Amino acid sequence: MSTIKQALISVSDKAGVVELAQGLQELGIAILSTGGTARALIQAGVQVTEVGDYTGFPEMLDGRVKTLHPRVHGGILARRDLADHVQALTEAGISTIDLVVVNLYPFVQTVERPGCTLEEAIENIDIGGPTMVRAAAKNWAHVAIVTDPSDYAGVLAELRGGGVSHATRFALARKAFSHTAAYDAAISNYLTARDVHGGQATAFPVRLNLGFDKAQDLRYGENPHQQAAFYRDLSPAPGALSNYVQLQGKELSFNNLADADAAWECVKTLEAPACVIVKHANPCGVAVGATPEEAYRKAFATDPTSAFGGIIAFNCELDEASAAAVTRQFLEVLIAPRIGEQARALLCARQNVRVLEVPLRPGSHALDIRRIGGGVLVQTPDMHNVPPDALRVVTRAQPSTQQMQDLLFAWRVAKFVKSNAIVFCSGGATVGVGAGQMSRVDSARIASIKAQNAGLALQGSVVASDAFFPFRDGLDVVVNAGARAVIQPGGSMRDDEVVAASDEHGIAMVFTGTRHFRH
């Protein structure tokens, strides 16, 4: 156990700090503090010695210099087990600081504010705070360093029990070094994405520093002989899968989360009650309906065989009727923004099913990062939904209102299907999906075969292709299967040939001008 006689408290986030200081005072621990923290504690009736009075050197330069002093850092860094360190403190009249409670200027929150200037960002770079944190964390064997308000209660409890344990001090030091590393990484990412004038930021800083918190170990990796863990962004985007709460079920695996993310990203782009069923990272059924149950039944009908053991996501509350329908099939993961009480009662009978609640909120999306040998590929996420005024009908035949609705629905789905992607849709539901083939014509054939195997009629359906038709053969396949309208990016050297083939068949074709490769 570590005996604590004196603490230094200097925090930007003041949540819980008064209660902590009051607890320390009750234990007879002397408290040093600075600036706004000292004022808040004094106002709450806590006896505090301001750092300027302790060092004999008042704060200066608008508070830029206040804790950078030998009486502070000597008291933190001295090893209590080394006689020469103890003697040096005695000769200099320096007392030990045994507990350091510090969190840093809100740099990240500042730069996230619209209109933040370079000058404002610079002023919110903490200097003295990280120095104290790192000093205390380096000397963790003798000093407890607390950077997270969620640790206040635990530290107080240990102090009331006699002192902060060796294990706790090491855990706090690990967290402290992670805290300062993430802080410096945020500063680096911000500054290396800008010029000296602080102008428009590039999406890709010169030095990309990534930080993640380990959320949990996973059941296994992509295969059972591989180990895996899930790491969450330090500040997860609102609405991202990483915000999930698991209500029941077995431990998640690597593939569970990868497929769950594919399903969630797809379903949350749809406005009406929607259901997405994913197998091996590809949607095998997507539909909208008047109710989540209707959406599920239409999505399941697309490919009941592939839906076996799939991941199912809804963009609305899962009600009792939907839960009753879903639990009739074998599934691995079920995701919804909320699971109703009656639905939860039904799901309890299927204890192995992993049930996740994920808040459905709009928000910014982080960069898309993919590992390759010796580096990473980084891109902005594919958030583009084609606006109606960007569509161009290039055939003599014009799509009907219903066909246009289905075309836009099919186009959204195709964005989440591995390339080459061909998606047949009808009545707000997929009726055939061809994914991940090396040639587009093969994807077209597979999509039509899938529909035949499911007993679905493709006559009168529409088709989305994630990229252009390089030849007319793929178009011929989908039209011969029953498609009467097609949406695709255009841009092929043989666009004229493909459009002429569409006119020959008497179908409507719409160009979007944007492709959606997904590798």
Side-chain angles (χ1 to χ4, degrees):
M1 292 289 187
S2 172
T3 301
I4 292 179
K5 297 179 180 178
Q6 183 166 240
L8 189 155
I9 305 177
S10 179
V11 294
S12 173
D13 177 2
K14 293 178 176 55
V17 74
V18 168
E19 293 77 10
L20 172 67
Q22 289 170 336
L24 297 177
Q25 184 170 264
E26 290 169 4
L27 291 167
I29 297 171
I31 298 174
L32 304 175
S33 192
T34 63
T37 305
R39 288 191 293 274
L41 297 182
I42 292 168
Q43 188 175 7
V46 178
Q47 187 173 343
V48 168
T49 300
E50 295 208 39
V51 165
D53 295 332
Y54 174 73
T55 62
F57 200 97
E59 293 184 14
M60 61 182 296
L61 305 180
D62 299 319
R64 286 190 173 200
V65 178
K66 50 191 173 185
T67 59
L68 297 170
H69 192 280
R71 290 205 74 191
V72 172
H73 287 278
I76 294 172
L77 281 166
R79 287 182 54 176
R80 282 61 159 171
D81 60 338
L82 295 181
D84 57 339
H85 280 209
V86 175
Q87 182 178 350
L89 290 189
T90 302
E91 291 174 354
I94 296 174
S95 57
T96 60
I97 297 173
D98 314 299
L99 171 65
V100 175
V101 182
V102 171
N103 54 57
L104 310 178
Y105 290 175
F107 177 82
V108 172
Q109 296 89 330
T110 298
V111 298
E112 284 179 347
R113 289 201 301 261
C116 174
T117 65
L118 179 61
E119 182 180 2
E120 289 171 326
I122 295 295
E123 284 304 310
N124 277 277
I125 295 175
D126 203 328
I127 302 301
T131 305
M132 286 191 294
V133 169
R134 289 172 59 83
K138 176 174 180 173
N139 204 23
W140 66 270
H142 307 281
V143 179
I145 170 63
V146 184
T147 57
D148 185 347
S150 69
D151 290 319
Y152 293 172
V155 168
L156 265 181
E158 288 199 25
L159 286 171
R160 288 173 179 139
V164 182
S165 70
H166 199 69
T168 296
R169 278 181 277 117
F170 183 62
L172 292 171
R174 292 192 310 180
K175 183 179 281 192
F177 278 121
S178 296
H179 184 58
T180 56
Y183 192 77
D184 285 338
I187 295 169
S188 171
N189 288 344
Y190 177 85
L191 293 179
T192 62
R194 285 162 176 79
D195 60 22
V196 69
H197 305 294
Q200 183 65 36
T202 174
F204 308 106
V206 174
R207 174 67 61 88
L208 179 61
N209 299 277
L210 302 176
F212 305 93
D213 285 326
K214 184 178 177 182
Q216 66 185 92
D217 290 311
L218 300 177
R219 193 176 180 210
Y220 51 77
E222 201 162 4
N223 298 289
H225 61 270
Q226 294 171 271
Q227 295 179 312
F230 169 51
Y231 285 81
R232 182 183 286 116
D233 279 334
L234 300 180
S235 299
L241 180 74
S242 62
N243 296 292
Y244 73 82
V245 175
Q246 184 169 355
L247 303 183
Q248 69 168 59
K250 295 187 291 187
E251 289 179 289
L252 291 158
S253 72
F254 183 98
N255 292 333
N256 291 154
L257 283 173
D259 287 348
D261 185 61
W264 183 245
E265 287 299 312
C266 181
V267 79
K268 72 181 186 180
T269 66
L270 302 170
E271 287 82 20
C275 175
V276 174
I277 305 175
V278 162
K279 192 70 172 289
H280 297 308
N282 276 303
C284 59
V286 182
V288 294
T291 66
E293 180 191 13
E294 181 190 356
Y296 164 72
R297 293 188 184 281
K298 289 163 68 176
F300 180 79
T302 303
D303 190 351
T305 301
S306 297
F308 181 85
I311 277 69
I312 302 177
F314 292 87
N315 66 351
C316 54
E317 179 176 337
L318 188 76
D319 57 19
E320 183 180 18
S322 307
V326 166
T327 52
R328 294 190 185 104
Q329 75 158 96
F330 172 62
L331 70 156
E332 292 282 353
V333 182
L334 180 63
I335 314 166
R338 187 173 183 279
I339 311 292
E341 290 301 319
Q342 293 173 318
R344 288 183 68 168
L346 282 174
L347 291 167
C348 283
R350 300 284 299 277
Q351 277 299 309
N352 284 339
V353 175
R354 304 159 180 89
V355 178
L356 311 181
E357 278 190 343
V358 184
L360 186 66
R361 299 193 193 100
S364 59
H365 289 70
L367 294 172
D368 179 21
I369 300 170
R370 199 168 309 178
R371 186 76 162 142
I372 63 169
V376 293
L377 298 173
V378 182
Q379 64 178 346
T380 57
D382 186 358
M383 301 301 299
H384 181 74
N385 284 325
V386 61
D389 59 3
L391 299 175
R392 186 161 61 96
V393 179
V394 293
T395 50
R396 290 192 293 269
Q398 299 288 311
S400 67
T401 301
Q402 181 60 53
Q403 284 177 329
M404 185 60 82
Q405 289 178 358
D406 279 338
L407 286 168
L408 290 173
F409 173 78
W411 185 245
R412 286 200 181 186
V413 174
K415 183 167 66 173
F416 298 95
V417 178
K418 298 286 188 179
S419 300
N420 289 305
I422 294 289
V423 180
F424 285 86
C425 290
S426 180
T430 53
V431 287
V433 179
Q437 299 305 303
M438 286 70 78
S439 75
R440 193 158 300 279
V441 68
D442 284 343
S443 287
R445 291 186 181 117
I446 288 171
S448 61
I449 291 169
K450 286 281 190 182
Q452 292 169 14
N453 291 344
L456 298 175
L458 294 180
Q459 195 60 42
S461 63
V462 307
V463 164
S465 173
D466 66 339
F468 59 66
F469 288 95
F471 305 97
R472 68 168 289 170
D473 52 359
L475 177 74
D476 291 335
V477 170
V478 300
V479 173
N480 291 336
R484 301 307 301 159
V486 172
I487 188 168
Q488 60 131 321
S492 168
M493 293 176 59
R494 295 182 175 84
D495 274 352
D496 290 345
E497 175 187 327
V498 174
V499 172
S502 301
D503 284 334
E504 178 186 318
H505 287 297
I507 69 158
M509 178 169 283
V510 177
F511 280 5
T512 67
T514 305
R515 78 178 189 196
H516 283 304
F517 275 159
R518 188 177 184 86
H519 287 96

Short mmCIF file of all heavy atoms in Angstrom, two decimals, residues 282-283 410-424 432-447 463-470 474 478 486-489 515-519:
data_model
loop_
_atom_site.label_atom_id
_atom_site.label_comp_id
_atom_site.label_asym_id
_atom_site.label_seq_id
_atom_site.Cartn_x
_atom_site.Cartn_y
_atom_site.Cartn_z
N ASN A 282 -22.18 -9.84 -46.78
CA ASN A 282 -23.04 -9.41 -47.88
C ASN A 282 -24.50 -9.45 -47.47
O ASN A 282 -24.95 -10.43 -46.85
CB ASN A 282 -22.85 -10.32 -49.09
CG ASN A 282 -21.69 -9.91 -49.94
OD1 ASN A 282 -21.62 -8.78 -50.42
ND2 ASN A 282 -20.74 -10.82 -50.13
N PRO A 283 -25.29 -8.43 -47.84
CA PRO A 283 -26.73 -8.53 -47.62
C PRO A 283 -27.32 -9.64 -48.49
O PRO A 283 -27.11 -9.65 -49.71
CB PRO A 283 -27.25 -7.16 -48.07
CG PRO A 283 -26.07 -6.26 -48.08
CD PRO A 283 -24.90 -7.14 -48.42
N ALA A 410 -32.79 -0.08 -54.61
CA ALA A 410 -31.78 -1.05 -55.06
C ALA A 410 -30.39 -0.43 -55.07
O ALA A 410 -29.39 -1.07 -54.74
CB ALA A 410 -32.15 -1.56 -56.46
N TRP A 411 -30.31 0.86 -55.44
CA TRP A 411 -29.02 1.54 -55.48
C TRP A 411 -28.41 1.67 -54.10
O TRP A 411 -27.21 1.49 -53.92
CB TRP A 411 -29.21 2.91 -56.13
CG TRP A 411 -27.95 3.67 -56.34
CD1 TRP A 411 -27.59 4.84 -55.76
CD2 TRP A 411 -26.86 3.32 -57.21
NE1 TRP A 411 -26.35 5.24 -56.19
CE2 TRP A 411 -25.89 4.33 -57.09
CE3 TRP A 411 -26.63 2.26 -58.07
CZ2 TRP A 411 -24.69 4.30 -57.79
CZ3 TRP A 411 -25.45 2.22 -58.78
CH2 TRP A 411 -24.49 3.23 -58.64
N ARG A 412 -29.25 1.96 -53.10
CA ARG A 412 -28.73 2.03 -51.72
C ARG A 412 -28.23 0.67 -51.26
O ARG A 412 -27.21 0.57 -50.58
CB ARG A 412 -29.81 2.55 -50.78
CG ARG A 412 -30.08 4.03 -50.92
CD ARG A 412 -30.76 4.58 -49.69
NE ARG A 412 -31.04 6.01 -49.85
CZ ARG A 412 -31.52 6.78 -48.89
NH1 ARG A 412 -31.77 6.26 -47.70
NH2 ARG A 412 -31.77 8.05 -49.10
N VAL A 413 -28.96 -0.37 -51.59
CA VAL A 413 -28.55 -1.71 -51.17
C VAL A 413 -27.24 -2.10 -51.84
O VAL A 413 -26.34 -2.66 -51.21
CB VAL A 413 -29.65 -2.74 -51.48
CG1 VAL A 413 -29.16 -4.16 -51.17
CG2 VAL A 413 -30.91 -2.43 -50.68
N ALA A 414 -27.12 -1.80 -53.13
CA ALA A 414 -25.93 -2.21 -53.89
C ALA A 414 -24.65 -1.65 -53.29
O ALA A 414 -23.58 -2.27 -53.40
CB ALA A 414 -26.06 -1.75 -55.35
N LYS A 415 -24.74 -0.51 -52.62
CA LYS A 415 -23.57 0.10 -51.99
C LYS A 415 -22.96 -0.80 -50.92
O LYS A 415 -21.78 -0.71 -50.61
CB LYS A 415 -23.95 1.45 -51.39
CG LYS A 415 -22.80 2.21 -50.77
CD LYS A 415 -23.15 3.66 -50.49
CE LYS A 415 -24.20 3.82 -49.44
NZ LYS A 415 -24.40 5.25 -49.07
N PHE A 416 -23.77 -1.70 -50.37
CA PHE A 416 -23.31 -2.56 -49.27
C PHE A 416 -23.07 -4.00 -49.70
O PHE A 416 -22.81 -4.87 -48.86
CB PHE A 416 -24.33 -2.51 -48.13
CG PHE A 416 -24.47 -1.13 -47.55
CD1 PHE A 416 -25.48 -0.28 -47.98
CD2 PHE A 416 -23.57 -0.66 -46.61
CE1 PHE A 416 -25.60 1.00 -47.47
CE2 PHE A 416 -23.68 0.62 -46.10
CZ PHE A 416 -24.70 1.45 -46.53
N VAL A 417 -23.13 -4.26 -51.00
CA VAL A 417 -22.89 -5.59 -51.54
C VAL A 417 -21.50 -5.61 -52.15
O VAL A 417 -21.10 -4.69 -52.86
CB VAL A 417 -23.95 -5.96 -52.60
CG1 VAL A 417 -23.66 -7.33 -53.21
CG2 VAL A 417 -25.35 -5.94 -51.99
N LYS A 418 -20.74 -6.67 -51.86
CA LYS A 418 -19.37 -6.76 -52.37
C LYS A 418 -19.37 -6.74 -53.90
O LYS A 418 -20.20 -7.37 -54.55
CB LYS A 418 -18.71 -8.05 -51.89
CG LYS A 418 -18.57 -8.15 -50.37
CD LYS A 418 -17.49 -7.25 -49.83
CE LYS A 418 -17.25 -7.51 -48.35
NZ LYS A 418 -16.19 -6.66 -47.79
N SER A 419 -18.40 -6.03 -54.46
CA SER A 419 -18.27 -5.93 -55.91
C SER A 419 -17.75 -7.25 -56.50
O SER A 419 -16.97 -7.94 -55.85
CB SER A 419 -17.32 -4.80 -56.29
OG SER A 419 -17.79 -3.58 -55.78
N ASN A 420 -18.16 -7.58 -57.71
CA ASN A 420 -19.14 -6.87 -58.52
C ASN A 420 -20.54 -7.15 -57.98
O ASN A 420 -20.88 -8.30 -57.69
CB ASN A 420 -19.07 -7.34 -59.98
CG ASN A 420 -17.81 -6.87 -60.67
OD1 ASN A 420 -17.55 -5.68 -60.69
ND2 ASN A 420 -17.04 -7.78 -61.26
N ALA A 421 -21.37 -6.13 -57.88
CA ALA A 421 -22.68 -6.27 -57.24
C ALA A 421 -23.80 -6.08 -58.25
O ALA A 421 -23.81 -5.11 -59.01
CB ALA A 421 -22.82 -5.24 -56.12
N ILE A 422 -24.75 -7.00 -58.23
CA ILE A 422 -25.99 -6.90 -58.99
C ILE A 422 -27.13 -7.18 -58.02
O ILE A 422 -27.14 -8.20 -57.34
CB ILE A 422 -26.05 -7.92 -60.14
CG1 ILE A 422 -24.98 -7.60 -61.19
CG2 ILE A 422 -27.44 -7.95 -60.78
CD1 ILE A 422 -25.25 -6.33 -62.00
N VAL A 423 -28.10 -6.25 -57.95
CA VAL A 423 -29.19 -6.38 -56.99
C VAL A 423 -30.53 -6.20 -57.72
O VAL A 423 -30.80 -5.15 -58.29
CB VAL A 423 -29.07 -5.32 -55.87
CG1 VAL A 423 -30.23 -5.47 -54.88
CG2 VAL A 423 -27.74 -5.45 -55.16
N PHE A 424 -31.35 -7.26 -57.71
CA PHE A 424 -32.73 -7.19 -58.20
C PHE A 424 -33.63 -6.76 -57.06
O PHE A 424 -33.50 -7.27 -55.94
CB PHE A 424 -33.21 -8.56 -58.68
CG PHE A 424 -32.66 -9.02 -60.00
CD1 PHE A 424 -31.44 -9.68 -60.07
CD2 PHE A 424 -33.39 -8.83 -61.17
CE1 PHE A 424 -30.95 -10.12 -61.27
CE2 PHE A 424 -32.90 -9.29 -62.39
CZ PHE A 424 -31.67 -9.93 -62.44
N GLY A 432 -33.16 -10.74 -55.52
CA GLY A 432 -32.01 -11.49 -56.00
C GLY A 432 -30.76 -10.68 -55.84
O GLY A 432 -30.73 -9.50 -56.22
N VAL A 433 -29.71 -11.28 -55.24
CA VAL A 433 -28.46 -10.55 -54.99
C VAL A 433 -27.30 -11.38 -55.51
O VAL A 433 -27.14 -12.55 -55.15
CB VAL A 433 -28.26 -10.27 -53.49
CG1 VAL A 433 -26.94 -9.54 -53.26
CG2 VAL A 433 -29.43 -9.46 -52.92
N GLY A 434 -26.48 -10.75 -56.37
CA GLY A 434 -25.25 -11.38 -56.85
C GLY A 434 -24.07 -10.56 -56.35
O GLY A 434 -24.01 -9.35 -56.60
N ALA A 435 -23.13 -11.21 -55.65
CA ALA A 435 -22.07 -10.45 -54.96
C ALA A 435 -20.71 -11.06 -55.17
O ALA A 435 -20.56 -12.28 -55.28
CB ALA A 435 -22.37 -10.40 -53.47
N GLY A 436 -19.69 -10.19 -55.21
CA GLY A 436 -18.30 -10.60 -55.06
C GLY A 436 -17.72 -11.45 -56.17
O GLY A 436 -16.76 -12.18 -55.93
N GLN A 437 -18.27 -11.34 -57.35
CA GLN A 437 -17.74 -12.13 -58.46
C GLN A 437 -16.71 -11.34 -59.26
O GLN A 437 -16.69 -10.11 -59.26
CB GLN A 437 -18.88 -12.57 -59.39
CG GLN A 437 -19.90 -13.45 -58.71
CD GLN A 437 -19.27 -14.66 -58.06
OE1 GLN A 437 -18.60 -15.45 -58.73
NE2 GLN A 437 -19.47 -14.81 -56.75
N MET A 438 -15.83 -12.07 -59.94
CA MET A 438 -14.78 -11.40 -60.69
C MET A 438 -15.30 -10.76 -61.97
O MET A 438 -14.67 -9.89 -62.54
CB MET A 438 -13.64 -12.38 -61.02
CG MET A 438 -12.77 -12.71 -59.80
SD MET A 438 -13.64 -13.72 -58.59
CE MET A 438 -13.55 -15.33 -59.38
N SER A 439 -16.46 -11.20 -62.46
CA SER A 439 -17.06 -10.58 -63.63
C SER A 439 -18.50 -10.19 -63.31
O SER A 439 -19.20 -10.89 -62.56
CB SER A 439 -17.05 -11.53 -64.85
OG SER A 439 -18.02 -12.54 -64.71
N ARG A 440 -18.93 -9.08 -63.87
CA ARG A 440 -20.28 -8.58 -63.60
C ARG A 440 -21.34 -9.50 -64.17
O ARG A 440 -22.41 -9.67 -63.57
CB ARG A 440 -20.41 -7.16 -64.19
CG ARG A 440 -21.65 -6.41 -63.71
CD ARG A 440 -21.43 -4.92 -63.88
NE ARG A 440 -20.29 -4.47 -63.10
CZ ARG A 440 -20.34 -4.20 -61.80
NH1 ARG A 440 -21.46 -4.32 -61.14
NH2 ARG A 440 -19.26 -3.82 -61.16
N VAL A 441 -21.07 -10.11 -65.29
CA VAL A 441 -22.07 -11.00 -65.89
C VAL A 441 -22.31 -12.22 -64.99
O VAL A 441 -23.43 -12.72 -64.87
CB VAL A 441 -21.65 -11.42 -67.32
CG1 VAL A 441 -20.42 -12.32 -67.31
CG2 VAL A 441 -22.81 -12.10 -68.05
N ASP A 442 -21.26 -12.70 -64.31
CA ASP A 442 -21.44 -13.82 -63.38
C ASP A 442 -22.29 -13.40 -62.19
O ASP A 442 -23.13 -14.17 -61.70
CB ASP A 442 -20.10 -14.36 -62.91
CG ASP A 442 -19.39 -15.19 -63.97
OD1 ASP A 442 -20.06 -15.62 -64.93
OD2 ASP A 442 -18.17 -15.41 -63.84
N SER A 443 -22.07 -12.19 -61.68
CA SER A 443 -22.92 -11.69 -60.59
C SER A 443 -24.37 -11.60 -61.03
O SER A 443 -25.29 -11.91 -60.25
CB SER A 443 -22.43 -10.31 -60.12
OG SER A 443 -21.24 -10.41 -59.39
N ALA A 444 -24.58 -11.17 -62.27
CA ALA A 444 -25.95 -11.08 -62.79
C ALA A 444 -26.59 -12.46 -62.86
O ALA A 444 -27.76 -12.65 -62.50
CB ALA A 444 -25.93 -10.43 -64.18
N ARG A 445 -25.84 -13.44 -63.32
CA ARG A 445 -26.38 -14.81 -63.41
C ARG A 445 -26.70 -15.36 -62.02
O ARG A 445 -27.74 -15.98 -61.80
CB ARG A 445 -25.37 -15.72 -64.13
CG ARG A 445 -25.20 -15.40 -65.62
CD ARG A 445 -24.31 -16.44 -66.28
NE ARG A 445 -24.11 -16.15 -67.69
CZ ARG A 445 -22.93 -15.87 -68.25
NH1 ARG A 445 -21.83 -15.84 -67.50
NH2 ARG A 445 -22.86 -15.62 -69.53
N ILE A 446 -25.77 -15.13 -61.07
CA ILE A 446 -25.98 -15.65 -59.72
C ILE A 446 -27.21 -15.00 -59.08
O ILE A 446 -28.01 -15.68 -58.40
CB ILE A 446 -24.72 -15.42 -58.86
CG1 ILE A 446 -23.61 -16.36 -59.32
CG2 ILE A 446 -25.01 -15.61 -57.38
CD1 ILE A 446 -22.26 -16.07 -58.70
N ALA A 447 -27.39 -13.70 -59.27
CA ALA A 447 -28.55 -13.02 -58.70
C ALA A 447 -29.85 -13.62 -59.22
O ALA A 447 -30.80 -13.84 -58.46
CB ALA A 447 -28.49 -11.53 -59.02
N VAL A 463 -33.11 -3.44 -61.42
CA VAL A 463 -31.77 -3.92 -61.10
C VAL A 463 -30.85 -2.74 -60.85
O VAL A 463 -30.90 -1.73 -61.58
CB VAL A 463 -31.20 -4.79 -62.23
CG1 VAL A 463 -29.69 -4.96 -62.09
CG2 VAL A 463 -31.86 -6.16 -62.23
N ALA A 464 -30.01 -2.87 -59.82
CA ALA A 464 -28.93 -1.92 -59.59
C ALA A 464 -27.60 -2.62 -59.81
O ALA A 464 -27.41 -3.76 -59.37
CB ALA A 464 -28.98 -1.36 -58.17
N SER A 465 -26.69 -1.93 -60.50
CA SER A 465 -25.32 -2.42 -60.69
C SER A 465 -24.38 -1.40 -60.07
O SER A 465 -24.46 -0.21 -60.39
CB SER A 465 -25.02 -2.57 -62.19
OG SER A 465 -23.66 -2.88 -62.40
N ASP A 466 -23.49 -1.86 -59.16
CA ASP A 466 -22.66 -0.90 -58.42
C ASP A 466 -21.66 -0.16 -59.30
O ASP A 466 -21.18 0.90 -58.93
CB ASP A 466 -21.93 -1.60 -57.27
CG ASP A 466 -20.91 -2.63 -57.73
OD1 ASP A 466 -21.00 -3.10 -58.87
OD2 ASP A 466 -20.01 -2.97 -56.93
N ALA A 467 -21.34 -0.69 -60.46
CA ALA A 467 -20.47 -0.01 -61.43
C ALA A 467 -21.03 -0.26 -62.83
O ALA A 467 -22.01 -1.00 -63.00
CB ALA A 467 -19.03 -0.53 -61.31
N PHE A 468 -20.42 0.37 -63.82
CA PHE A 468 -21.01 0.29 -65.16
C PHE A 468 -20.94 -1.12 -65.74
O PHE A 468 -20.14 -1.95 -65.32
CB PHE A 468 -20.36 1.29 -66.11
CG PHE A 468 -18.86 1.14 -66.30
CD1 PHE A 468 -18.33 0.01 -66.93
CD2 PHE A 468 -17.98 2.13 -65.89
CE1 PHE A 468 -16.97 -0.12 -67.13
CE2 PHE A 468 -16.61 2.01 -66.08
CZ PHE A 468 -16.11 0.87 -66.70
N PHE A 469 -21.82 -1.38 -66.72
CA PHE A 469 -21.76 -2.61 -67.50
C PHE A 469 -20.69 -2.43 -68.58
O PHE A 469 -20.84 -1.58 -69.46
CB PHE A 469 -23.11 -2.90 -68.17
CG PHE A 469 -24.17 -3.36 -67.22
CD1 PHE A 469 -25.07 -2.46 -66.68
CD2 PHE A 469 -24.28 -4.70 -66.88
CE1 PHE A 469 -26.06 -2.87 -65.81
CE2 PHE A 469 -25.27 -5.13 -66.01
CZ PHE A 469 -26.16 -4.22 -65.47
N PRO A 470 -19.60 -3.21 -68.53
CA PRO A 470 -18.56 -3.01 -69.53
C PRO A 470 -18.97 -3.52 -70.92
O PRO A 470 -18.43 -3.06 -71.92
CB PRO A 470 -17.39 -3.83 -68.97
CG PRO A 470 -18.02 -4.85 -68.10
CD PRO A 470 -19.25 -4.22 -67.54
N GLY A 474 -24.02 -8.56 -69.56
CA GLY A 474 -24.61 -8.52 -68.22
C GLY A 474 -26.01 -7.95 -68.25
O GLY A 474 -26.90 -8.44 -67.54
N VAL A 478 -29.82 -9.79 -67.05
CA VAL A 478 -30.82 -9.30 -66.10
C VAL A 478 -32.15 -9.03 -66.79
O VAL A 478 -33.22 -9.25 -66.20
CB VAL A 478 -30.32 -8.05 -65.34
CG1 VAL A 478 -29.05 -8.36 -64.56
CG2 VAL A 478 -30.11 -6.85 -66.25
N VAL A 486 -33.13 -0.42 -65.04
CA VAL A 486 -31.78 -0.63 -64.52
C VAL A 486 -31.20 0.71 -64.07
O VAL A 486 -31.38 1.73 -64.75
CB VAL A 486 -30.86 -1.26 -65.58
CG1 VAL A 486 -29.41 -1.29 -65.09
CG2 VAL A 486 -31.33 -2.67 -65.93
N ILE A 487 -30.51 0.70 -62.94
CA ILE A 487 -29.77 1.88 -62.49
C ILE A 487 -28.30 1.50 -62.38
O ILE A 487 -27.95 0.44 -61.86
CB ILE A 487 -30.32 2.40 -61.13
CG1 ILE A 487 -29.68 3.75 -60.78
CG2 ILE A 487 -30.14 1.39 -60.02
CD1 ILE A 487 -30.38 4.46 -59.62
N GLN A 488 -27.44 2.34 -62.93
CA GLN A 488 -25.99 2.09 -62.94
C GLN A 488 -25.26 3.42 -63.08
O GLN A 488 -25.85 4.43 -63.44
CB GLN A 488 -25.63 1.13 -64.08
CG GLN A 488 -26.00 1.65 -65.46
CD GLN A 488 -24.85 1.53 -66.46
OE1 GLN A 488 -23.70 1.76 -66.08
NE2 GLN A 488 -25.16 1.21 -67.70
N PRO A 489 -23.95 3.43 -62.78
CA PRO A 489 -23.24 4.71 -62.82
C PRO A 489 -23.06 5.29 -64.22
O PRO A 489 -23.02 6.51 -64.40
CB PRO A 489 -21.87 4.38 -62.20
CG PRO A 489 -22.07 3.09 -61.49
CD PRO A 489 -23.12 2.35 -62.23
N ARG A 515 -20.14 5.56 -58.80
CA ARG A 515 -20.09 4.11 -58.58
C ARG A 515 -19.93 3.82 -57.09
O ARG A 515 -19.58 4.71 -56.30
CB ARG A 515 -18.94 3.49 -59.36
CG ARG A 515 -17.58 3.68 -58.73
CD ARG A 515 -16.48 3.01 -59.51
NE ARG A 515 -15.22 3.04 -58.76
CZ ARG A 515 -14.03 2.80 -59.29
NH1 ARG A 515 -13.93 2.53 -60.58
NH2 ARG A 515 -12.94 2.83 -58.55
N HIS A 516 -20.14 2.55 -56.71
CA HIS A 516 -20.06 2.15 -55.31
C HIS A 516 -19.30 0.83 -55.16
O HIS A 516 -19.83 -0.15 -54.63
CB HIS A 516 -21.46 2.00 -54.71
CG HIS A 516 -22.13 3.29 -54.37
ND1 HIS A 516 -21.57 4.23 -53.55
CD2 HIS A 516 -23.32 3.80 -54.77
CE1 HIS A 516 -22.38 5.27 -53.44
NE2 HIS A 516 -23.45 5.03 -54.16
N PHE A 517 -18.05 0.78 -55.60
CA PHE A 517 -17.25 -0.42 -55.38
C PHE A 517 -17.12 -0.68 -53.86
O PHE A 517 -16.94 0.24 -53.07
CB PHE A 517 -15.85 -0.25 -55.95
CG PHE A 517 -15.74 -0.59 -57.42
CD1 PHE A 517 -14.69 -0.08 -58.17
CD2 PHE A 517 -16.66 -1.41 -58.04
CE1 PHE A 517 -14.57 -0.39 -59.52
CE2 PHE A 517 -16.55 -1.72 -59.38
CZ PHE A 517 -15.50 -1.21 -60.13
N ARG A 518 -17.17 -1.95 -53.51
CA ARG A 518 -16.98 -2.36 -52.11
C ARG A 518 -16.14 -3.63 -52.12
O ARG A 518 -16.63 -4.71 -52.45
CB ARG A 518 -18.34 -2.60 -51.43
CG ARG A 518 -18.25 -2.84 -49.93
CD ARG A 518 -19.67 -2.99 -49.36
NE ARG A 518 -19.69 -3.13 -47.93
CZ ARG A 518 -19.70 -2.13 -47.06
NH1 ARG A 518 -19.68 -0.88 -47.51
NH2 ARG A 518 -19.74 -2.34 -45.77
N HIS A 519 -14.87 -3.50 -51.77
CA HIS A 519 -13.96 -4.64 -51.82
C HIS A 519 -13.75 -5.26 -50.45
O HIS A 519 -14.07 -4.65 -49.44
CB HIS A 519 -12.61 -4.20 -52.40
CG HIS A 519 -12.67 -3.95 -53.87
ND1 HIS A 519 -12.86 -2.70 -54.40
CD2 HIS A 519 -12.61 -4.80 -54.92
CE1 HIS A 519 -12.89 -2.78 -55.73
NE2 HIS A 519 -12.74 -4.04 -56.07
#
